[in-house]
Every structure is written in structure tokens, then in C-alpha cells.
Amino acid sequence: MNIFQTAEQQANILPEKYRRMTVKELEDRAKEIKEKLGNKLFIPGHHYQKDEVIQFADATGDSLKLAQLSKENTEAEYIVFCGVHFMAETADILTAPEQKVLLPDMRAGCSMADMANFHQTERAWIKLLELFGESMIPLTYVNSTAAIKAFVGTYGGATVTSSNAEKMVTWAMTQKPRILFLPDQHLGRNTAYKLGIGLDEMAVWNPVTDQLEYEGLIENVKVILWKGHCSVHENFTVENVIEVRKQYPEMKIIVHPECRREVVALSDMAGSTNYIIEAIENSDPGSLWAIGTEMNLVKRIINQHPDKHIISLNPHMCPCLTMNRIDLPHLVWCLETLEHGRSHNRIQVEEQTAYFAKMALDRMLERP
Ligand code: 13P
Ligand code: SF4
């Protein structure tokens, strides 16, 4: 490691001071700085963030809502994004150049977004062009790097989120006969299936072997699913569903579409984090729910609805580890640097990448 890398690494290590502060001291500092900066500061918080962080969010939401809110907020000078790296990148792309987007802990990535890199995608596209010619349009889940969004934007495609995936796949099908869906095979499969595309019409692109996994006639392929997944949502299994059905026959099972096809098929309902929150909010007191999504959100829903019996679909589930990297000490550290006129952990997408990635995002945001 050279001297610059060492310095960079040091800059990302939480100073000892923040480890020693009590929760009360940290909370007081966060409140104080928020008050001081007023409208100059905007803190969006994803539903999967810890409560200790969410309490300071100016807005909470799923990835679609947070992208929309970042775009609409033209006033804030600093956007301290409490979520993961790809969400902060999206906010940077959608906001004005003078607005600074910061991520309290640079290690807050997303394992799914890391499953598709630009070089793999370029290689895949070249090979798929040989098989399918110009018949494909790429779509990417927002859980992807800015470089992948730029790739998709360049080829006429768009981004999707878990709350608008059906609408975006329907749109893509009016553009070209085939879709390449990155990087989450499960969201792609669940969405396409719901829209009437057969499992036998879906192939899987393996970015590790650079091969198409498909057993039928190649002309029949309508959707090519990138072989990526969420390491959190893949932990909900058919066995979990069977167990809940056995223990609580009356219980409704609701899951995020990042879960495997078999799990979604056996559940009662599937939808984005917002969809899950609203379904439970709108349900009758005394109703029974098993939720298949990230644990910080499930715990919050349980606490907010003491009149309902709510459990996690998988009793051994843990939170998303990368989302959890944003904690109160890192948030206060980030806020204090702003207070002192410095910006810490700025997320800045390179200009050309941002230009093409914005095309993909705009094609999605134009279709509310
Ligand atoms: P939402 O699109 O539902 O916010 O989900 C984002 C995410 O990271 C789920 O794992
Ligand atoms: Fe990424 Fe999964 Fe965590 Fe969402 S829950 S941020 S998809 S690793």
C-alpha cells in the first residue's frame, strides 16, 4: 500500500472520539448540527437503516422515493445519504453539481450491485449481440453502479426499482422483443413471470463463466437475467414458508421481490419495501403477518404495530450488513465535518458516466 492509499484508508476510519461519545452526546450533536444547518442540509434515509439513524432522517422511503426526493430538493447544499453507495450515486447524478452528496461510511456498499461490473457487462453485451442481434434492450435495477446505469442509458434502456419494475418491463417490451435485466435475477424473473412471460422464455447470463444458461431454443428467449442476487433476501427459503404455514395457518406471508421465485410463488403478496409497509399499515388490528425482507425494517414494523402479530419469515434473519455500516457515530462524524466547512466522504460520479446514467434514470422517472 502506498502513502496515498494509507492516507485514504485512515481518512475512512472513524476517529476514536466518536467511539467514546455516549448515545446521548451523539444524539445531541446530531440535533444541534441539524438545527444549525437548517435547509442547507437534507438527510434521506432508506427504510433498511437502523433506528438510531432513521430518527435524524428528513425523509424516509424506498429507493424510488428517495431518488425522486433527491431530484426535487434543489435547496439543500449537502445531502447526507443514509443508505448504500448506489443510492448516494443516484442522488449525485440527479442533483445539481453544486449540491454535495455525502455517504457517512464509504464501506456501505451493496453486494448485489457489486455482482455486475462494467467490463463483465460489456463482454456480455458483445456475446449476446452475436446470439440475438439488435433485438435487446437493457434494464438495470437501481441497485447497480453508476457505470452500469450509464451502460444501460447508452443503449436506450432504463433503470427500474422494486416498486416500478412491472411498469418498466412492460415499457421495455414495447421497445424491443428482448430484455437484458441486470443485476438481480430474482427481481427480473419475478417481474417477468407476473407479466405472463414463461420461465422457459427466460435465460440466465452467467458473468463468471461468460455463458448463457438456457436449455431451450434460443429464438424463444424473451428475457436474459443477469446471474446476481441479494445476499440478504436469498436467505428466505421454501422451508421458511412451509414452517410458517404449519405454525400459523392464518398468517399472511409478504415478501420483497428480491426473494427467489419459489418463495414469491408460495407467498401471499410480494412488493417493494413501501408496498410491504403500506400493506401492513392498511391491515386490520389483530392480523397476522410474516415478512420476508431486511431485519431493521421488519423490527421497525413490529414496533409500530403492537396491535398486530408480525414475525420475520426467517427467524434467524439478520440486517443488511452494509446498510448497517451507517450508524450514529458515522453520521455525527459526517455532520461535524460539514459544520466545520469540510465535506467528508463525498460521492461524485464522473461527468460522462453521470450524463449517460441520468438518461437511464430519467427514462424511469418520466414514468411516475
Ligand atoms: P427498495 O427498492 O424496495 O427500496 O429496495 C432496495 C433494496 O436495496 C432492497 O434490498
Ligand atoms: Fe443490497 Fe440486499 Fe442490502 Fe438491499 S438488502 S442493499 S440489495 S445487499
Side-chain angles (χ1 to χ4, degrees):
M1 194 183 294
N2 66 36
I3 189 164
F4 297 110
Q5 286 166 327
T6 310
E8 198 176 306
Q9 203 185 50
Q10 294 286 339
N12 283 325
I13 297 173
L14 182 75
E16 190 57 28
K17 166 187 164 186
Y18 299 99
R19 292 180 211 277
R20 290 174 192 269
M21 284 168 82
T22 64
V23 172
K24 167 97 177 58
E25 285 167 341
L26 289 165
E27 287 180 345
D28 287 348
R29 280 304 286 137
K31 276 185 213 143
E32 213 179 312
I33 300 169
K34 274 190 67 147
E35 250 168 56
K36 198 162 153 186
L37 294 178
N39 290 346
K40 277 168 80 175
L41 171 68
F42 177 56
I43 308 184
H46 189 268
H47 289 312
Y48 293 172
Q49 289 287 292
K50 297 176 182 196
D51 283 343
E52 66 185 51
V53 167
I54 278 291
Q55 64 176 322
F56 295 107
D58 295 307
T60 57
D62 64 2
S63 48
L64 177 63
K65 184 171 165 198
L66 296 181
Q68 285 163 332
L69 289 175
S70 306
K71 188 175 175 166
E72 283 160 21
N73 191 325
T74 50
E75 197 177 5
E77 207 173 301
Y78 308 112
I79 296 169
V80 174
F81 211 106
C82 293
V84 286
H85 194 271
F86 73 81
M87 298 181 181
E89 275 190 336
T90 300
D92 180 57
I93 294 165
L94 295 174
T95 50
E98 60 279 10
Q99 292 180 290
K100 295 188 173 87
V101 177
L102 306 136
L103 186 66
D105 187 338
M106 290 302 236
R107 300 166 310 157
C110 163
S111 56
M112 179 202 284
D114 293 341
M115 287 178 197
N117 72 39
F118 184 77
H119 300 294
Q120 288 171 324
T121 309
E122 255 192 337
R123 278 205 311 270
W125 191 251
I126 292 168
K127 288 218 173 177
L128 290 168
L129 276 176
E130 283 167 17
L131 286 173
F132 299 114
E134 301 287 333
S135 68
M136 299 171 296
I137 181 168
L139 286 181
T140 185
Y141 193 15
V142 283
N143 296 32
S144 53
T145 61
I148 298 299
K149 292 185 179 80
F151 178 91
V152 167
T154 309
Y155 289 99
T159 57
V160 318
T161 74
S162 53
S163 50
N164 62 20
E166 278 169 50
K167 194 191 307 170
M168 293 312 297
V169 169
T170 306
W171 166 78
M173 280 166 22
T174 64
Q175 306 297 303
K176 295 274 174 135
R178 289 191 177 87
I179 296 169
L180 168 63
F181 193 98
L182 295 122
D184 183 13
Q185 58 170 313
H186 301 307
L187 178 65
R189 188 176 290 113
N190 286 320
T191 308
Y193 188 81
K194 200 162 173 201
L195 291 170
I197 298 173
L199 294 175
D200 56 352
E201 294 173 306
M202 299 183 217
V204 172
W205 178 262
N206 185 331
V208 177
T209 60
D210 277 337
Q211 268 166 358
L212 190 70
E213 297 176 356
Y214 185 67
E215 279 170 7
L217 279 175
I218 209 81
E219 311 82 88
N220 293 340
V221 173
K222 287 198 179 137
V223 179
I224 302 132
L225 304 163
W226 191 267
K227 200 170 189 172
H229 64 267
C230 164
S231 29
V232 175
H233 288 88
E234 268 214 345
N235 289 328
F236 295 104
T237 61
V238 167
E239 289 70 36
N240 294 146
V241 177
I242 294 171
E243 194 50 39
V244 166
R245 297 277 188 229
K246 198 163 81 189
Q247 276 204 26
Y248 308 99
E250 306 283 282
M251 194 167 256
K252 276 213 156 48
I253 299 178
I254 186 165
V255 298
H256 196 281
E258 284 176 18
C259 294
R260 299 163 199 267
R261 174 78 217 124
E262 312 84 86
V263 172
V264 171
L266 291 172
S267 300
D268 299 296
M269 297 157 88
S272 72
T273 50
N274 244 17
Y275 174 86
I276 295 173
I277 292 169
E278 282 175 15
I280 294 175
E281 259 168 23
N282 296 332
S283 66
D284 293 333
S287 53
L288 279 69
W289 293 94
I291 309 180
T293 195
E294 198 272 344
M295 223 33 221
N296 284 326
L297 175 60
V298 174
K299 278 195 203 142
R300 190 170 308 119
I301 296 178
I302 293 174
N303 291 338
Q304 287 169 347
H305 298 278
D307 59 331
K308 294 166 194 173
H309 182 200
I310 305 167
I311 59 169
S312 168
L313 177 58
N314 176 345
H316 307 295
M317 204 56 198
C318 37
C320 168
L321 294 177
T322 47
M323 281 275 179
N324 257 15
R325 290 199 161 133
I326 311 291
D327 56 12
L328 190 53
H330 280 89
L331 176 61
V332 173
W333 180 27
C334 186
L335 294 178
E336 281 200 344
T337 56
L338 293 181
E339 189 187 28
H340 298 131
R342 285 178 281 123
S343 40
H344 170 64
N345 290 354
R346 183 165 179 192
I347 302 293
Q348 221 171 352
V349 178
E350 182 270 320
E351 210 176 311
Q352 207 188 346
T353 306
Y355 176 83
F356 289 105
K358 188 167 181 302
M359 281 184 170
L361 285 160
D362 282 345
R363 286 186 192 117
M364 170 182 81
L365 294 169
E366 277 160 15
R367 291 172 180 76

